[in-house]
Amino acid sequence: MTPTDQLRAMSEEHSAHNYHPLPIVVAEADGVWLTDVEGRRYLDMLAAYSAVNFGHRNPRLTAAVKRQLDRVTLVSRAFDHDQFGPFVSELAELCGKDMVLPMNSGAEAVETALKTARKWGYEVKGVPAGQANIITFEGNFHGRTTTIISFSTDPDAHDSYGPYTPGFRTVPYGDAEALKAAMDDATVGVLIEPIQGEAGVNVPPSGFLRAVRELCTARGALMIADEIQSGLGRTGTTFAVEHEGVVPDIYILGKALGGGIMPVSAVVADRDVLGVFKPGQHGSTFGGNPLACAIGREVIAMLKTGEFQERSRTLGAHLHERLGHLPGDLVREVRGRGLWAGVELHGRARPVSERLMGLGVLAKETHETTLRLAPPLVIEQDDLDWALDQLEIALKG
Ligand SMILES: Cc1ncc(COP(=O)(O)O)c(C=O)c1O
């Protein structure tokens, strides 16, 4: 038995089978490269679903971690610490908002945004108690909690977990008329991914995000942008909503905010929205801890240089130009923005990701027929070109 087989057998035997990983066991990582337990190197074209936007073990981020590890790592929110104030003020400034509510995982931040919208709806908008509704979109992916999967339209994510949380209405993604028809006086929020990641890197029709913004303003509902996967440089701008010049009422951030090191998430909004929380009404033991804040501050400082957004823009243009030249008999459609692409195939994507792995490139299918490409934003053009050469070989079977 190889070391890979031995380790995979252990996880197969003792881990719940809620994932279907590629048959690789990673031992080390550096920048865009992963090395497995047998010394083989692979180019990472997934970047942990955009959590590793800045590359594996980015030296600026590991240095920030090491500095903070030698000072203080956790005090809970019972006490303030010297990274907290700077983190929330720097993140609020990056988003152009007043306030931040830090959490840990993405799903927790989405839950926080949903609670914010409901509380705001009852206490500020004046919706009668228990009547608030929130609109979501078909194909959405916002995490795995019981409430979030209550409005998932993916049977794998949704089925067999009832009874479900009420208060959500779901309309087709990209259909402004359907959204308008679903909204009423009790609508407190519209929860949207500016680009749907898990659904297959679905970019909405041009003008749709602006239409959502206008409808939310007209109906007095909060536009809640889940930028957990699309935000922080992935699409060539800090936030994907910027492509349509839209400013949501609430940003939900996660993944890359933790620098690929630990879970760090946040809800960011103005005072009239996040100001609804009083002591004891929401919280998290680990949310806003000193280590998380130190990492988050370094991430924000890196984003403020604009370097990563620029790389995603220019290399993303190159990525899409090359993907656009793939022959139609191999590829049905390519979607995406910046260094983010959903490559829609004629058949199953899993065998292609397995062949790619054999060629030294790691990418993952999403649903049956889409291959998702999202390399760390630090990738060099030579490496990107090499990965795309391997993709052409893998597609030809
Ligand atoms: C848009 C979006 N929202 C929320 C989540 C959930 O984040 P987490 O897995 O950290 O809970 C994800 C994860 O893929 C996501 O893509």
Side-chain angles (χ1 to χ4, degrees):
M1 248 194 178
T2 64
T4 302
D5 291 339
Q6 266 171 10
L7 290 159
R8 291 199 65 233
M10 284 167 78
S11 43
E12 185 71 11
E13 177 72 16
H14 297 293
S15 151
H17 292 179
N18 56 330
Y19 279 89
H20 182 30
L22 287 168
I24 176 190
V25 181
V26 174
E28 285 177 28
D30 185 23
V32 297
W33 293 94
L34 298 170
T35 306
D36 75 7
V37 285
E38 293 174 61
R40 290 180 290 247
R41 271 162 49 90
Y42 304 83
L43 204 156
D44 182 1
M45 288 289 284
L46 181 64
Y49 304 104
S50 287
V52 185
N53 277 1
F54 308 103
H56 294 276
R57 298 191 302 111
N58 183 295
R60 278 189 69 167
L61 293 167
T62 51
V65 171
K66 287 172 187 163
R67 280 195 304 273
Q68 193 59 37
L69 275 179
D70 285 335
R71 297 181 67 244
V72 55
T73 55
L74 184 64
V75 293
S76 84
R77 292 288 307 282
F79 317 126
D80 219 341
H81 58 81
D82 65 4
Q83 297 301 307
F84 189 76
F87 171 64
V88 290
S89 72
E90 287 156 17
L91 185 56
E93 192 203 337
L94 184 80
C95 299
K97 298 285 185 195
D98 298 333
M99 291 177 124
V100 171
L101 203 168
M103 298 296 284
N104 311 284
S105 69
E108 278 178 298
V110 173
E111 285 279 348
T112 302
L114 298 173
K115 287 173 75 176
T116 305
R118 284 183 170 180
K119 198 160 164 55
W120 173 89
Y122 297 127
E123 296 177 4
V124 179
K125 182 170 174 173
V127 173
Q131 299 296 305
N133 70 74
I134 292 175
I135 319 265
T136 65
F137 294 95
E138 285 172 12
N140 70 74
F141 186 85
H142 298 283
R144 300 289 192 172
T145 65
T146 316
T147 288
I148 292 171
I149 59 87
S150 292
F151 52 80
S152 172
T153 56
D154 173 356
D156 279 342
H158 174 273
D159 292 355
S160 301
Y161 297 121
Y164 298 104
T165 306
F168 298 96
R169 298 174 181 174
T170 302
V171 300
Y173 190 61
D175 187 341
E177 281 309 311
L179 173 60
K180 187 175 180 186
M183 293 175 88
D184 59 24
D185 291 344
T187 302
V188 297
V190 175
L191 174 63
I192 184 167
E193 292 162 88
I195 292 178
Q196 288 187 328
E198 298 303 301
V201 196
N202 293 340
V203 181
S206 176
F208 181 63
L209 297 177
R210 233 172 305 123
V212 173
R213 174 66 278 178
E214 282 160 16
L215 286 168
C216 284
T217 304
R219 296 306 306 244
L222 300 173
M223 180 177 178
I224 309 168
D226 180 344
E227 293 262 14
I228 288 171
Q229 192 166 160
S230 60
L232 307 185
R234 174 53 60 191
T235 66
T237 47
T238 305
F239 304 110
V241 286
E242 288 175 56
H243 291 285
E244 290 206 7
V246 162
V247 178
D249 299 294
I250 298 181
Y251 289 99
I252 313 177
L253 304 174
K255 293 199 193 282
L257 190 59
I261 296 172
M262 61 190 286
V264 182
S265 67
V267 169
V268 188
D270 277 334
R271 197 172 313 283
D272 57 337
V273 175
L274 269 181
V276 295
F277 289 110
K278 304 284 177 299
Q281 295 178 343
H282 189 62
S284 157
T285 304
F286 287 91
N289 69 72
L291 194 55
C293 290
I295 294 169
R297 290 185 67 194
E298 201 63 35
V299 165
I300 295 161
M302 288 162 68
L303 284 169
K304 280 177 84 172
T305 66
E307 178 196 332
F308 297 92
Q309 296 89 324
E310 169 67 25
R311 293 188 72 85
S312 182
R313 243 188 333 270
T314 51
L315 289 170
H318 181 68
L319 168 75
H320 284 280
E321 139 94 23
R322 276 204 59 180
L323 291 175
H325 283 114
L326 289 172
D329 59 332
L330 296 181
V331 162
R332 188 187 291 274
E333 184 186 43
V334 178
R335 301 179 290 268
R337 238 179 208 142
L339 274 174
W340 199 17
V343 182
E344 194 66 42
L345 308 179
H346 294 285
R348 289 179 57 233
R350 177 77 184 193
V352 178
S353 57
E354 285 171 359
R355 281 200 293 277
L356 261 180
M357 189 190 123
L359 293 163
V361 176
L362 295 178
K364 193 79 170 43
E365 70 281 359
T366 176
H367 297 291
E368 274 287 287
T369 55
T370 312
L371 192 70
R372 176 171 25 190
L373 303 177
L377 309 181
V378 294
I379 194 168
E380 297 292 342
Q381 184 165 329
D382 284 356
D383 287 336
L384 182 61
D385 277 326
W386 178 79
L388 292 169
D389 293 343
Q390 308 316 304
L391 175 63
E392 279 194 53
I393 298 168
L395 284 170
K396 286 177 186 150

